[in-house]
Amino acid sequence: MAFDKFWAWFHRMGSPKWFYEISGRWIPWFATATIVLLTVGAVWSLAFAPQDYQQGNSFRIIYIHVPAAILAQSIFFSMALCGAIGLIWKMKVADMVAKSCAPIGASMTFIALFTGAVWGKPTWGAWWVWDARLTSMLILLFLYFGVIALQSAFDSKQSAARASAILSLVGVVNIPIIKYSVEWWNTLHQPATFKLTEKPAMPMEMWLPLLIMVIGFYCFFATVLMMRTRNEILEREKRTQWVQGLLSK
């Protein structure tokens, strides 16, 4: 019974009209959560979290770097998943969501690389090193650029969606490489700051604002993704009666 309900919900999500309507109700809630979480997390992390005993105040860059890096990987995986759904079940909304993911993911990857460079200068004495984690993150940025380029390279929306979905599915192999690179190779990059399966090495007053920032970044992603997808729906469905009815109001 539960599976039947999920399957019905899954098919409803494939309807552009239904997705447009339900996302319009969700956006204010996610936007509010984004503002609250990022405000609380930023103030706590910058003003009240204690200094690191080795890195001093320079460690505070992790409150931007870590959420951006986590989100960059999650978005690519989500984009590949939507691409697979679009290829298998031919859901137009999945293709639209995948297209909307790419610029957000590329932005998060750039932020992760930039903040990592800012953190690496005082820590390693260099802005950039060809470390396994850094190199695989740079590859992720190029994969995002490749997906964005493919989405614009075809006149046919279906062909563009198919090509970018295939690249996403091929490129998703890079995600476990990013995640486990610090364990598989001898790298300068430190291991994961915290894991869900292990007790954090940092004291609570340091990792709790980081957790708040991570959740805030996810809420930000959800908000922007729904807004971008709604715009994409209006563009692709502009000749349908329900969109023309919306535009005429």
Side-chain angles (χ1 to χ4, degrees):
M1 189 66 180
F3 179 78
D4 291 339
K5 290 182 178 179
F6 169 78
W7 194 248
W9 175 85
F10 178 75
H11 275 276
R12 277 190 297 172
M13 285 294 288
S15 165
K17 184 176 184 294
W18 190 86
F19 183 92
Y20 187 91
E21 292 173 351
I22 194 67
S23 60
R25 301 174 200 165
W26 290 347
I27 286 175
W29 294 98
F30 278 95
T32 302
T34 299
I35 294 170
V36 172
L37 289 168
L38 292 185
T39 300
V40 171
V43 172
W44 190 348
S45 60
L46 296 176
F48 298 104
Q51 295 184 26
D52 183 78
Y53 75 99
Q54 288 182 321
Q55 302 177 34
N57 281 320
S58 65
F59 97 99
R60 298 184 193 278
I61 198 74
I62 70 168
Y63 293 108
I64 300 296
H65 174 73
V66 171
I70 292 174
L71 204 58
Q73 298 169 66
S74 298
I75 293 173
F76 196 92
F77 183 82
S78 301
M79 185 172 65
L81 180 61
C82 288
I85 292 172
L87 287 173
I88 297 169
W89 285 288
K90 311 298 182 185
M91 286 189 176
K92 293 189 292 184
V93 170
D95 292 337
M96 297 178 202
V97 172
K99 182 178 180 180
S100 300
C101 279
I104 310 172
S107 300
M108 289 296 162
T109 309
F110 176 80
I111 291 171
L113 288 168
F114 177 77
T115 53
V118 172
W119 176 82
K121 180 61 176 176
T123 305
W124 299 336
W127 294 102
W128 178 266
V129 292
W130 290 102
D131 178 88
R133 172 65 63 83
L134 273 67
T135 303
S136 53
M137 280 296 292
L138 182 62
I139 292 172
L140 182 65
L141 182 61
F142 291 151
L143 285 169
Y144 273 121
F145 288 161
V147 170
I148 293 171
L150 283 175
Q151 289 169 347
S152 305
F154 296 87
D155 293 331
S156 168
K157 299 289 186 183
Q158 291 77 15
S159 298
R162 190 180 306 112
S164 57
I166 292 171
L167 178 58
S168 300
L169 290 168
V170 172
V172 80
V173 72
N174 189 49
I175 301 302
I177 294 175
I178 295 172
K179 180 175 176 57
Y180 295 108
S181 57
V182 295
E183 299 175 16
W184 292 345
W185 295 287
N186 183 23
T187 69
L188 288 174
H189 198 285
Q190 68 188 53
T193 304
F194 62 79
K195 301 178 181 178
L196 295 176
T197 57
E198 298 178 9
K199 182 179 179 181
M202 297 188 299
M204 185 187 70
E205 56 268 24
M206 295 175 72
W207 68 258
L208 190 54
L210 179 57
L211 180 60
I212 292 172
M213 290 293 287
V214 170
I215 298 172
F217 266 63
Y218 272 105
C219 289
F220 171 77
F221 164 61
T223 303
V224 177
L225 178 64
M226 286 187 287
M227 293 173 67
R228 290 184 60 87
T229 304
R230 281 163 61 87
N231 288 337
E232 189 69 21
I233 288 172
L234 292 179
E235 173 63 26
R236 296 197 189 190
E237 302 290 305
K238 59 186 176 184
R239 291 185 176 86
T240 60
Q241 186 175 358
W242 72 270
V243 171
Q244 291 180 357
L246 283 175
L247 298 177
S248 64
K249 291 181 180 179

